[in-house]
Amino acid sequence: MVRSEEKPFELHLLLLKIIIYVGLIAIALTCLLPFYSMLITSTHTNSDIARKLLIVPGNQFLVNYHRLTETVNIWRGFGNTVFITVTATLINVYFAALAGYGFSKYNFRYKSVLFMMVLATMMIPGQLGIIGFYKLMDVFHMLNTYYPLLLTSMYNAFGIFLVKQFADTSVPSEIIESGRIDGYGEMQIFHRIILPLMSPALATLAIFAFIGKWNDFLVPMIILFDGDMQTLPVMIASVKSQFSSDFGAQYVGIVISVIPILVFFSFMSKRIINGVAAGAVKG
């Protein structure tokens, strides 16, 4: 009698698993479809891209690649983008962690007001201040340099908010006090104790900062005048003939541009999972 009752339950459980797996596979295919379309499109001619629905790979990838390298110095742009993105991400994560930790664990006058002012800046689109930003960089003689792209990474309202919320819930004040008892200074506590504890939040912030800076188009286009200093998105957008855009070469450039983002996301997502798992075991 018991076995007969277990069979419908097992069938129901099997059916539920099948539904879940089918749903997950459908979601995965939907997410992978744009990448597949990008790869397929990069292997066809401009005429095919403009006139046809492309499903199968073509044989024009190397032709499009050679045309891309003849039009712009794509690997110089790749190196410029790597330097700017990695440096800006490190600056962004470090100062966001420093400010978020300060707002979370230190008490000072007007703390709440200052934090609300930081959050208020998230409501203002960055494009509204681009003219003033350009004039300011001109006054400081920083046009056609990488300083405007790097120094602005010191401030990130979303990053400060994210780190503060994580520090409020996941960084015990007792650990800070124990560090002070052991004779650590405030910066030693921050570097040796706090940063490792906040690694999941910092990995999350690093993903957003890396992708945002890697895909940044407006600021480099306005600030940088020298073609050899331009970043990858600006170079890819400039690939066109006298009368039309070279879609095949552009899609090859997009493929080159997307690969580092996928690699970085895969690496940092493991850090997030490992950090959360470690925190769950310790808890």
Side-chain angles (χ1 to χ4, degrees), residues 51-258:
R51 294 185 294 105
K52 298 179 180 179
L53 177 63
L54 305 176
I55 299 177
V56 297
N59 58 358
Q60 296 296 308
F61 184 85
L62 293 178
V63 176
N64 293 334
Y65 172 77
H66 287 306
R67 201 163 58 249
L68 173 67
T69 55
E70 290 174 357
T71 306
V72 294
N73 192 350
I74 192 68
W75 293 112
R76 177 64 180 269
F78 185 90
N80 296 339
T81 308
V82 169
F83 169 74
I84 294 171
T85 303
V86 172
T87 307
T89 300
L90 293 175
I91 294 173
N92 194 327
V93 171
Y94 179 80
F95 283 97
L98 194 63
Y101 167 69
F103 275 117
S104 175
K105 298 303 178 182
Y106 288 88
N107 293 318
F108 48 90
R109 184 177 295 183
Y110 307 124
K111 170 182 173 179
S112 300
V113 175
L114 290 174
F115 186 65
M116 292 303 297
M117 292 175 62
V118 170
L119 295 183
T121 60
M122 297 174 63
M123 306 177 189
I124 304 173
Q127 292 81 356
L128 294 180
I130 197 67
I131 296 177
F133 176 72
Y134 179 88
K135 291 183 177 179
L136 187 64
M137 293 301 102
D138 187 22
V139 171
F140 290 152
H141 303 288
M142 290 184 180
L143 294 178
N144 202 34
T145 68
Y146 291 146
Y147 290 111
L149 303 176
L150 300 178
L151 295 179
T152 52
S153 299
M154 296 175 65
Y155 171 75
N156 183 354
F158 170 76
I160 295 173
F161 172 77
L162 177 67
V163 174
K164 179 186 180 302
Q165 296 304 112
F166 186 86
D168 286 341
T169 58
S170 301
V171 179
S173 299
E174 291 79 7
I175 293 181
I176 302 173
E177 293 298 331
S178 65
R180 291 169 180 165
I181 293 173
D182 290 338
Y184 283 179
E186 297 301 319
M187 294 305 295
Q188 286 180 312
I189 293 174
F190 175 72
H191 290 127
R192 296 187 180 185
I193 300 175
I194 301 304
L195 285 181
L197 289 176
M198 295 194 301
S199 59
L202 300 184
T204 303
L205 177 59
I207 291 174
F208 286 108
F210 186 93
I211 295 176
K213 185 61 68 172
W214 184 273
N215 293 326
D216 190 12
F217 175 80
L218 180 62
V219 177
M221 183 183 64
I222 295 173
I223 295 297
L224 302 176
F225 309 140
D226 190 351
D228 288 335
M229 295 182 65
Q230 285 291 0
T231 58
L232 205 54
V234 179
M235 284 191 176
I236 293 172
S238 65
V239 178
K240 50 188 173 182
S241 63
Q242 184 177 1
F243 300 104
S244 61
S245 297
D246 191 343
F247 295 113
Q250 284 182 337
Y251 271 101
V252 173
I254 293 172
V255 171
I256 296 173
S257 178
V258 165

Side-chain angles (χ1 to χ4, degrees), residues 269-283:
S269 62
K270 291 181 180 179
R271 295 291 302 271
I272 296 173
I273 295 172
N274 291 338
V276 172
V281 172
K282 291 178 182 179

